């Protein structure tokens, strides 16, 4: 992968505001974000323009409600605006500008090949998705990512092809616009600054990569370049790109960081998902949560209290994996198999743990719900930071494309 010199370890991810978040989001995506915010420079945003690509007809009003509710869900779950930059896509117009410029260089055939294009059209067949915006969705996503020069993009499996496409667009962009006149001479001059040994190694690695496709040659060249004090940022960017035969790195190629699919079972025992209507919302009514958990299906072999069961055939057991400690789980395993405990007993520690988790989340959410200006200020602040970072990239992009007159 090509790296842009001098970039911090930046992470970008977005979420479409299409409804209330549930425990599946919490144990899948959000906990992951919360961990990453300690390690990386994170940019998390509400992908409201992305939501419009499928919800452009009558649902646009609900998007605006969902924007604020979703931000409150993030904050209540523990996403920290002191660590991560939280913003709303449509308030950073650079996303639209970069989307437009990237759309100039992205072949339509690349977009038609993205699996989600046909999959979603088939799945949402009641909607007319034969629009320019829907086809161009992955270009907008590429702009979201590259505007911040992200190195890592935490996404679910379905989104990996979008990150792959982003890399292809980055390569094409750098190839087209990173090779200004005199590019090769400049690269040769920069190689000269690596010292005799360094220059020799760089050339050997370049040959290893371009002639024999040796992937680790790229990594070794990165180590060589990042340890060198004599190069300016511009020169190392040039050499990062030159080794692959491409141009200067203007847009960083990101890597997908696969978020493990959440294992939270839904209330009917199937995977928790909005489309199955089996969710527990992050902020849900405790009485409903308790009632629904009591009614949740268990191992079908346990018809009567005295029938022994098998936890591995029971969705409630999946919840124990998430919510209870080793001792409780031992108690369940023995009790279930010997009919020593009933399913009602088995569910009680879960109900307690989930209600406790929800109570803490609800309390934090209340603080934000009761003070809408607080949330708006957090977002205003994040949007401002995002615009500043985005504008740095746009300056380079406009310059590279010679539209900075
Ligand atoms: N397409 C993503 C989804 O539906 C949301 C998204 C938009 C995104 N832009 C992004 C995710 C940039 C990661 C990075 O889930
Ligand atoms: Fe499932 Fe627990 Fe009942 Fe066993 S005792 S079937 S694990 S709910």
């Amino acid at each position: 992968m090509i790296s842009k010199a001098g970039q911090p370890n930046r992470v970008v991810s977005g979420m479409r505001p299409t409804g209330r978040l549930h425990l599946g989001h919490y144990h899948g995506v959000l906990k992951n974000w919360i961990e990453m915010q300690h390690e990386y420079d994170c940019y998390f945003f509400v992908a409201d323009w992305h939501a419009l690509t499928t919800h452009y007809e009558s649902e646009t009003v609900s998007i605006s409600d969902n924007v604020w509710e979703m931000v409150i869900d993030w904050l209540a779950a523990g996403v920290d605006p002191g660590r991560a930059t939280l913003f709303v896509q449509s308030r950073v117009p650079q996303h639209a500008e970069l989307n437009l410029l990237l759309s100039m260089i992205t072949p339509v055939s690349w977009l038609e090949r993205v699996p989600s294009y046909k999959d979603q059209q088939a799945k949402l067949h009641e909607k007319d998705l034969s629009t320019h915006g829907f086809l161009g969705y992955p270009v907008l996503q590429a702009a979201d990512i590259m505007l911040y020069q992200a190195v890592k993009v935490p996404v679910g499996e379905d989104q990996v092809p979008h990150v792959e496409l982003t890399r292809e667009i980055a390569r094409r962009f750098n190839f087209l616009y990173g090779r200004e006149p005199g590019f090769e001479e400049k690269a040769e001059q920069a190689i000269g600054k690596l010292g005799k040994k360094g220059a020799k190694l760089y050339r050997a690695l370049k040959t290893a990569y371009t002639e024999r496709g040796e992937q680790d040659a790229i990594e070794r060249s990165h180590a060589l370049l990042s340890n060198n004090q004599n190069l300016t940022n511009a020169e190392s960017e040039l050499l990062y790109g030159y080794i692959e035969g491409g141009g200067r790195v203007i847009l960083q190629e990101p890597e997908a960081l696969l978020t493990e699919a959440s294992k939270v079972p839904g209330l009917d025992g199937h995977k928790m998902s909005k489309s199955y209507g089996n969710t527990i919302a992050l902020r849900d009514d405790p009485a409903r949560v308790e009632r629904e958990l009591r009614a949740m299906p268990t191992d079908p072999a346990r018809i009567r209290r005295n029938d022994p069961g098998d936890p591995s055939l029971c969705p409630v057991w999946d919840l124990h994996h998430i919510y209870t400690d080793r001792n409780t789980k031992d108690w369940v395993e023995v009790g279930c198999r010997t009919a020593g405990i009933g399913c009602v007993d088995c569910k009680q520690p879960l109900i307690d743990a989930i209600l406790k988790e929800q109570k803490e989340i609800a309390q934090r959410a209340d603080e934000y719900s009761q003070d809408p200006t607080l949330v708006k200020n957090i977002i205003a602040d994040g949007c401002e930071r995002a615009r500043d970072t985005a504008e740095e990239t746009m300056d380079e992009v406009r310059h590279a494309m010679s539209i900075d007159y």
Side-chain angles (χ1 to χ4, degrees):
M1 184 190 59
I2 298 183
S3 325
K4 200 168 157 65
Q7 285 305 324
N9 249 356
R10 200 167 279 152
V11 159
V12 168
S13 202
M15 219 188 264
R16 301 179 340 133
T18 48
R20 287 300 187 87
L21 300 187
H22 54 67
L23 293 188
H25 295 116
Y26 179 59
H27 290 281
V29 183
L30 287 176
K31 281 208 163 158
N32 191 30
W33 283 15
I34 291 162
E35 260 173 49
M36 296 193 97
Q37 65 188 357
H38 296 280
E39 240 182 283
Y40 297 95
D41 180 21
C42 292
Y43 281 67
F44 297 136
F45 71 98
V46 181
D48 55 346
W49 278 338
H50 282 275
L52 286 177
T53 60
T54 49
H55 293 58
Y56 61 86
E57 267 184 283
S58 49
E59 311 97 323
T60 56
V61 179
S62 70
I63 292 179
S64 68
D65 286 341
N66 286 331
V67 167
W68 297 110
E69 292 304 326
M70 190 166 83
V71 173
I72 292 176
D73 280 340
W74 292 357
L75 295 166
V79 178
D80 178 357
R83 291 185 180 276
T85 300
L86 309 182
F87 66 98
V88 174
Q89 181 185 36
S90 64
R91 296 207 0 215
V92 184
Q94 286 86 349
H95 287 253
E97 186 181 357
L98 187 56
N99 171 57
L100 177 111
L101 295 176
L102 297 179
S103 76
M104 303 299 170
I105 66 161
T106 307
V108 172
S109 60
W110 289 9
L111 298 173
E112 287 168 337
R113 273 207 307 265
V114 173
S116 64
Y117 179 60
K118 294 215 168 70
D119 291 355
Q120 290 288 95
Q121 277 187 334
K123 202 166 149 207
L124 305 175
H125 53 85
E126 74 290 357
K127 290 184 194 277
D128 178 3
L129 296 181
S130 56
T131 57
H132 176 198
F134 186 69
L135 178 65
Y137 184 115
V139 182
L140 181 58
Q141 186 160 350
D144 299 336
I145 295 168
M146 294 196 286
L147 208 40
Y148 303 96
Q149 309 284 4
V151 288
K152 299 224 163 93
V153 186
V155 284
E157 199 167 9
D158 61 319
Q159 297 291 314
V160 172
H162 295 170
V163 181
E164 280 303 315
L165 184 79
T166 303
R167 293 161 63 87
E168 283 172 43
I169 297 176
R171 260 178 250 146
R172 184 159 164 79
F173 187 96
N174 295 333
F175 183 82
L176 289 171
Y177 306 112
R179 296 158 64 97
E180 63 256 69
F183 155 74
E184 299 202 329
E185 290 75 12
K186 279 191 199 152
E188 288 300 325
Q189 262 175 24
I191 292 175
K193 287 197 182 177
L194 293 172
K196 216 167 163 192
K197 254 176 77 186
K200 199 169 159 208
L201 178 57
Y202 182 86
R203 283 189 217 285
L205 292 170
K206 183 165 163 53
T207 310
Y209 182 73
T210 50
E211 291 179 13
R212 300 191 293 277
E214 289 174 19
Q215 271 302 329
D216 66 329
I218 301 282
E219 272 143 47
R220 291 178 58 202
S221 76
H222 286 189
L224 171 68
L225 294 172
S226 62
N227 289 332
N228 194 288
Q229 311 290 326
N230 297 331
L231 299 177
T232 64
N233 271 355
E235 284 167 334
S236 42
E237 274 163 29
L238 191 62
L239 293 187
Y240 276 125
Y242 189 58
I243 193 150
E244 297 189 9
R248 183 167 67 88
V249 178
I250 301 160
L251 295 176
Q252 163 76 40
E253 279 181 47
E255 222 170 273
L257 205 77
L258 195 62
T259 308
E260 238 184 274
S262 133
K263 298 202 177 67
V264 185
L267 289 165
D268 59 358
H270 299 107
K271 180 185 155 62
M272 186 177 285
S273 158
K274 188 179 148 197
S275 51
Y276 300 151
N278 63 359
T279 60
I280 299 176
L282 209 54
R283 291 179 273 156
D284 212 321
D285 169 29
R288 184 192 95 94
V289 172
E290 182 162 358
R291 196 172 60 240
E292 295 284 340
L293 285 170
R294 287 200 195 288
M296 190 167 164
T298 62
D299 176 358
R302 296 206 71 182
I303 300 165
R304 281 174 302 265
R305 169 69 180 75
N306 297 337
D307 297 327
D310 177 353
S312 69
L313 303 174
C314 176
V316 173
W317 180 236
D318 295 331
L319 284 175
H320 275 284
H321 281 305
I322 299 169
Y323 283 101
T324 63
D325 59 17
R326 188 67 258 166
N327 283 345
T328 312
K329 283 198 277 274
D330 289 345
W331 169 75
V332 171
E333 281 233 69
V334 175
C336 180
R337 291 180 198 283
T338 58
I341 61 169
C343 294
V344 178
D345 309 316
C346 178
K347 286 174 175 179
Q348 194 56 49
L350 286 174
I351 294 173
D352 295 343
I354 293 176
L355 289 181
K356 178 163 175 281
E357 177 180 84
Q358 296 233 302
K359 195 168 166 198
E360 286 161 13
I361 291 174
Q363 273 167 355
R364 264 179 288 175
D366 272 348
E367 289 168 31
Y368 293 108
S369 302
Q370 280 161 17
D371 189 356
T373 36
L374 178 59
V375 182
K376 299 221 160 157
N377 286 342
I378 288 171
I379 291 297
D381 194 49
C383 289
E384 199 173 314
R385 270 192 277 165
R387 281 190 295 264
D388 286 346
T389 309
E391 190 54 18
E392 282 174 30
T393 302
M394 286 317 299
D395 269 344
E396 278 194 67
V397 165
R398 293 183 204 112
H399 178 69
M401 294 179 84
S402 309
I403 41 167
D404 56 346
Y405 23 84

